[in-house]
Structures are given as structure tokens and as C-alpha cells.
Amino acid sequence: MPIEIPEVVIERLPVYARALADLEAQGREVVSSQELGEKLGVTPAQIRKDLSYFGRFGKQGRGYNVRRLSEHLRHILGLDRTWDMVLIGVGPLGQAILHYGGFAPQGFRVVEAFDASPAVIGRTIGGIVVRDVRDLKQRLAERKVDIGIVAVPAAVAQEVIDTLVECGIKAILNYAPIAAQVPPGVHIRRVDPVLELQSMTYYLKSQDGAAK
Amino acid sequence: MPIEIPEVVIERLPVYARALADLEAQGREVVSSQELGEKLGVTPAQIRKDLSYFGRFGKQGRGYNVRRLSEHLRHILGLDRTWDMVLIGVGPLGQAILHYGGFAPQGFRVVEAFDASPAVIGRTIGGIVVRDVRDLKQRLAERKVDIGIVAVPAAVAQEVIDTLVECGIKAILNYAPIAAQVPPGVHIRRVDPVLELQSMTYYLKSQDGAAK
DNA sequence: GTATGTGAACCACTTCACAGCA
DNA sequence: TGCTGTGAAGTGGTTCACATAC
């Protein structure tokens, strides 16, 4: 692939891909950047520019073939395969993740789960046997996984993340409320509803003082 | 308040606030933008510039008083009060949210919960009585809440969000996998782990093809 | 006629670099 | 001397606007 593609662009592609999957399910054959943009709250120019990093998928005067573009995006993002994930932390949050039905249909499956507590080690949750986190490194040496999910308390999250990195994991989904450090080449995304709430309150506060 | 403050800045403030709370708990009295930046993976200049939108909180040659800056940020963000939230959707995800212990310590409490299914309506979960979503508008007219949490299936999420907006809700945390549309003045943030995963796979895929 | 693809113009955010203050 | 606060410079991303193709 040629030059560096902005990370914001990569983050928008799954949004496009999802919208296209919806359109496909509805039986739509063609969509314009205009219409797609309206659905997603993005400008048409944004969509066209984003797609142009990867090729020319549209037909002038017509728009984009939904199925074709959908498949292209899925391929670009690597969504046309299955990704194996390891979960660290099987407390209430981790258990909810194991039971969550939203990953599998998208090709993401948890294949290993670890915890430090004897209360859960050995139990089978969501079809996965919970193992002792002390066996993590050894186990991951045998059974390669692609992605790590961190659902441990904040106090030990960085330590767990360091271990995952040592195991060669290159992508981490972090549910722990910390600003985790990872070396270059390792990708990390945080899922942190409290942070989302805490930035929205800024605007709520302003509104109370002014209008409304 | 003077000119428009970039939204990215607002989104970073809670991160700073959290780090400062940690330092405070550790008994630290002073911190430099340098040190804070290292902890958070942000440049010192970024932190100083961000803070400068709101005032002058530091002392040249010394740094920032941890407690003082922490309190300022909490006040700026409106974290020095409690925020009432309404949850829509009490399926597995919604129940996990009701049981989640991470909101309350930060001043966010779910005070109302609604669902459409007779299986949960009337039940008490996490101390909250689940009500019929058909009573949502009426109930919110009596009992004002600040924030809406949407944990319903994608198919009905936009409809629920529209209702919340009609009720005068100005901030929404959306767990449903849709690109929701809200009118100007309403703030919405999404919590969408699948989207996070789907953008990371782009990089995993590239690496497989190249190095590693 | 209509909608894409894309250089160029624009805008916003980040980083620099240094004056100013403790 | 050390670190903040901040205009100015730099960078990166978005939007424009139009040539191009169907």
C-alpha cells in the first residue's frame, strides 16, 4: 500500500461498512455519497475522499454499487475473516463480555479467558473455560490469538497490558479506566463510558447557565 | 465563556481529571505538564495549551498544584455535582449497566429504567424498578433527568433517541450499533466495542502481509 | 444530467519556542 | 533555574469546486 492513511479515515470505514451492510440487507443496489452521508452524519466529500485512498469504487453519474463497495470495505478492514480474542478479567464486566452476542456475528470470537480469582478459575462461562492468569503467557505461546480484551481493575490493567504486549498481541481493547501505554506498533482502543459521560457534562453545564 | 473551545480539548479534560485524582490519592502535591503528559501519552504543550483555554492554573518554575487543578477541572466539567440518568433497554446489556459499579462513584446514577418487554417490566434490577417504555414520555415529564442511556436493539434505537430528544434530554450515551442522528444542541457519544475492533483489524491485516 | 474522484484552498488542531514569572 | 502560558509556525484533515466519466 502507498502512503500513510490517516487513522481517522480507518476509524470511519467500519461505520461505512455497517451502513452498507444495512443497505444490502434492505436490497438496495446503489447508493450515492450524498445519501450515505445523510444517513451517517458525514459530508459526501468526506466519504468520497476517504474511499479514494483505497481505489475507485463508484460510477460517475450513478453512485456506488452497495454490494461491491461493502465487500471492498470488508476486505480492506480484514472483516472477511475470523479474529480470535483473549479476555483478561472475568469479573462482572468480563462475564458480560463473554455472554455478549454482538462479537460473533461480526467474526470476533473470544477463545480464551483468564482471571486471578479462584472464584472463577475453572468455571466455564459463555462456553469458555476460565484459566489462571498466571498461565497466560504459556498458554498464549501455544494458542495464538489476535486481539486482547482487558476487563481487569484499573490497578492491574497496565501490568496485564504489558503482558499481552510481551505475548506478541498487537491489538488491545481496553475496558479498564486508565490511559494505557503501549509501544509503537501495538494498537489500543478504549471503551470507557464514564469518560464519555464526563465530557458531555461540560456542555450540559454550559447550557444550564445560559439558554434553556 | 469566550470563544468556542475545540471539542477534542473537552474530551481530553476528563482524562486529565482522572490522572489528577490518582495523583491526589497518592498524596502528590505538585505535577508538571511534562510528568502528566508522560503518564497520559500526551505532549506537555498539549496539556498546557488545553488548560490555557480555561485559565492559568500553574506556577512558573513549579508546575501545577494537583488538588487545585483537579478541583478546577472537576468544576469546569461539571463533575462537582450528581447527574441523573435514564436507561432505555433492560436486556442483558442494560442489566449489566444497571449493575455496573463504575458510574455512581463518579456522580452518575441511573434513576429510571424502561423496557418494552413484559419479561422485565415491573422487575427491580440494581435497585431500579423497570417501567414500560410506553410511559417514558409521561414519566420524564414528571421526573427530570439529565442524561439518557440507550441500550436497545439497533432496529429501534433511533426511535428511542428521538423520544429522548423530545423529552428535552440534551446528552445521550448510545450503546446501540447505529450512527444516530440528533439535532444541534444535543450531545451524543457512542460506546461501540465492535467498531473499535473493526478499525484495529485494518492494522493487524497490514502487519500480517508485511513484517512480523 | 448526475455523481464520482481529486488537486487546491481552507480550517482546525498540534507543536514550537520563547518571554515571563516564581 | 525551571516550568508555565501563549503567539506564531507547522501539520494534518476537511471541504470546495470542477474536470471527468457514465
Side-chain angles (χ1 to χ4, degrees):
Chain A
M1 297 275 154
I3 52 164
E4 194 70 42
I5 293 161
E7 179 153 348
V8 276
V9 173
I10 303 302
E11 285 172 9
R12 279 192 295 264
L13 295 188
V15 180
Y16 302 163
R18 184 184 279 167
L20 287 162
D22 288 352
L23 288 169
E24 214 178 335
Q26 289 167 32
R28 287 288 306 278
E29 296 200 346
V30 177
V31 70
S32 66
S33 59
Q34 174 74 39
E35 183 185 352
L36 198 55
E38 279 167 14
K39 266 200 203 315
L40 299 175
V42 171
T43 67
Q46 179 87 269
I47 293 175
R48 296 201 301 276
K49 176 66 100 177
D50 285 352
L51 296 178
S52 77
Y53 283 104
F54 301 94
R56 305 151 72 108
F57 306 114
K59 278 201 172 55
Q60 276 119 327
R62 251 175 89 57
Y64 299 89
N65 178 291
V66 171
R67 184 192 187 99
R68 194 174 104 85
L69 181 55
S70 174
E71 278 173 6
H72 269 295
L73 287 180
R74 292 178 55 77
H75 181 68
I76 290 165
L77 289 167
L79 305 181
D80 50 1
R81 53 160 283 192
T82 297
W83 296 92
D84 289 344
M85 311 193 289
V86 53
L87 170 70
I88 322 293
V90 193
L93 175 59
Q95 293 185 28
I97 292 170
L98 284 176
H99 287 124
Y100 179 53
F103 288 141
Q106 304 303 320
F108 295 93
R109 56 178 190 193
V110 179
V111 296
E112 294 279 343
F114 295 85
D115 200 290
S117 162
V120 287
I121 292 171
R123 281 179 56 196
T124 299
I125 300 176
I128 304 292
V129 178
V130 181
R131 298 177 193 283
D132 191 321
V133 71
R134 284 174 297 188
D135 301 334
L136 174 61
K137 289 181 78 163
Q138 191 199 328
R139 182 87 187 161
L140 285 198
E142 297 162 19
R143 165 76 140 121
K144 282 293 169 198
V145 302
D146 307 294
I147 300 167
I149 303 183
V150 176
V152 300
V156 294
Q158 183 64 57
E159 183 189 339
V160 163
I161 287 168
D162 292 344
T163 305
L164 288 173
V165 170
E166 282 175 45
C167 292
I169 299 271
K170 297 282 188 241
I172 295 170
L173 189 63
N174 177 33
Y175 283 82
I178 62 155
Q181 304 296 302
V182 291
V186 178
H187 299 271
I188 187 161
R189 299 268 193 276
R190 71 173 162 223
V191 177
D192 195 330
V194 169
L195 233 42
E196 310 291 342
L197 290 172
Q198 289 180 328
S199 64
M200 283 198 288
T201 51
Y202 170 78
Y203 298 102
L204 295 181
K205 205 184 107 280
S206 313
Q207 283 181 346
D208 286 354
K212 191 204 167 185
Chain B
M1 297 277 153
I3 53 163
E4 195 68 43
I5 293 160
E7 180 153 349
V8 276
V9 173
I10 303 303
E11 286 171 8
R12 279 192 296 264
L13 295 187
V15 179
Y16 302 163
R18 184 184 279 165
L20 286 161
D22 287 351
L23 287 169
E24 214 178 336
Q26 288 165 32
R28 287 289 307 275
E29 297 200 346
V30 177
V31 70
S32 65
S33 58
Q34 173 76 37
E35 183 185 351
L36 198 55
E38 279 166 16
K39 267 201 203 314
L40 299 176
V42 170
T43 66
Q46 177 88 269
I47 293 174
R48 296 202 301 275
K49 176 64 98 175
D50 286 353
L51 296 177
S52 77
Y53 283 104
F54 302 95
R56 305 152 70 110
F57 306 115
K59 280 202 171 56
Q60 276 119 327
R62 250 176 89 57
Y64 300 89
N65 178 292
V66 171
R67 185 193 186 99
R68 195 174 103 85
L69 182 54
S70 174
E71 278 174 5
H72 269 294
L73 286 181
R74 293 179 54 76
H75 181 69
I76 291 165
L77 289 167
L79 304 181
D80 50 1
R81 51 160 283 192
T82 297
W83 297 91
D84 289 345
M85 311 193 290
V86 52
L87 171 70
I88 322 293
V90 192
L93 175 59
Q95 292 184 29
I97 291 170
L98 284 175
H99 286 125
Y100 178 53
F103 288 140
Q106 304 302 321
F108 295 94
R109 58 178 187 193
V110 179
V111 297
E112 295 279 343
F114 295 86
D115 199 290
S117 161
V120 286
I121 292 172
R123 282 179 56 196
T124 299
I125 299 174
I128 304 291
V129 178
V130 181
R131 299 175 192 282
D132 192 320
V133 72
R134 285 174 297 189
D135 301 333
L136 174 62
K137 287 181 77 163
Q138 190 198 327
R139 181 86 187 163
L140 285 198
E142 296 161 19
R143 166 76 139 118
K144 282 291 169 198
V145 303
D146 307 295
I147 299 167
I149 303 183
V150 176
V152 300
V156 293
Q158 183 64 57
E159 183 188 339
V160 163
I161 287 168
D162 291 344
T163 306
L164 288 172
V165 170
E166 281 175 46
C167 291
I169 299 272
K170 296 283 189 238
I172 295 170
L173 189 63
N174 177 33
Y175 283 81
I178 62 155
Q181 303 297 302
V182 291
V186 178
H187 299 270
I188 187 160
R189 300 268 193 276
R190 69 173 164 223
V191 178
D192 196 331
V194 169
L195 233 42
E196 309 292 342
L197 291 172
Q198 289 181 328
S199 63
M200 283 198 290
T201 52
Y202 170 78
Y203 298 102
L204 294 182
K205 204 185 109 283
S206 314
Q207 282 181 344
D208 286 354
K212 194 208 167 183

